[in-house]
Amino acid sequence: MDATALPGAPATAARPARAGRNAAIGLITLSLFAGTAARYALSPLQELVRVDLGLGDNQVALLQGMAIALPTALMSVPLGRLVDRGNRARLLLVLAILCAAGSVLTALAHNFALAFCARMLVCAAVVAAQPTALSLVADLTAPDQRGRMITLTALGQAMGGTVAYILAGKLLAWLPVLAPSLVSSMAPWRLVT
């Protein structure tokens, strides 16, 4: 039996476990926030991307739709098995790295094919992160606290999409002022993604 669960056990004995759990759930929430922001960052910038890469409307639609749907359809079953059988903490770390790599590749893309593959990488990582995160949160929390903690991670995910839309336009306005040398060498949308 856990000594911290005994009646009369000092409150400080339970704090490190709770603090560690809360920190882990905070990091999980942050990873969902960042991944979702990366997934949605291109949406408010799509017209700039279209012009810069010389894309047609159908190609932009594929970047926003098929690049998300295809990884979801292809990865759902294998991902579920991996989440159930693998080390979920390592998996979430790998997914965060893949999402960052996809964002960098999106910024460096100079044609539709590379942009599509980069967006698929971002979206695959984000799609895979959700069940991984939910499973980790379930492992970290007692059943009577699970609903609140899962809601917290869901809020992180929802806020990531919202913040991506809010900050994309702001960053486009601020980047020429904050980093004029970067803006002169790259299209501003590339720096935002």
Side-chain angles (χ1 to χ4, degrees):
M1 181 175 219
D2 183 7
T4 60
L6 294 173
T12 56
R15 284 193 185 132
R18 187 180 306 162
R21 181 205 68 193
N22 290 345
I25 291 172
L27 284 172
I28 292 166
T29 302
L30 182 62
S31 71
L32 287 176
F33 173 87
T36 305
R39 183 254 178 260
Y40 283 105
L42 199 62
S43 295
L45 306 172
Q46 65 187 356
E47 186 60 25
L48 296 172
V49 174
R50 187 189 67 75
V51 170
D52 190 40
L53 296 180
L55 304 178
D57 290 341
N58 287 337
Q59 290 174 313
V60 172
L62 288 171
L63 285 178
Q64 299 290 29
M66 187 59 76
I68 298 161
L70 196 56
T72 303
L74 295 175
M75 292 178 42
S76 294
V77 173
L79 173 67
R81 288 181 182 220
L82 186 59
V83 169
D84 288 340
R85 296 181 182 164
N87 182 319
R88 291 179 284 276
R90 279 194 203 127
L91 179 59
L92 194 58
L93 177 63
V94 168
L95 293 171
I97 291 168
L98 289 175
C99 185
S103 293
V104 169
L105 287 173
T106 299
L108 298 175
H110 290 287
N111 59 47
F112 170 74
L114 184 55
F116 187 81
C117 291
R119 294 313 296 165
M120 278 185 41
L121 184 58
V122 169
C123 294
V126 171
V127 164
Q130 183 179 14
T132 306
L134 292 177
S135 185
L136 274 169
V137 170
D139 289 346
L140 291 168
T141 55
D144 63 327
Q145 299 172 343
R146 203 164 284 148
R148 285 177 289 192
M149 294 301 127
I150 287 174
T151 300
L152 178 67
T153 59
L155 284 172
Q157 194 171 15
M159 293 304 296
T162 303
V163 168
Y165 275 94
I166 292 169
L167 283 184
K170 300 280 186 202
L171 286 172
L172 283 173
W174 293 339
L175 283 172
V177 175
L178 297 175
S181 60
L182 281 175
V183 173
S184 66
S185 65
M186 272 184 141
W189 74 265
R190 295 176 184 275
L191 298 171
V192 174
T193 62

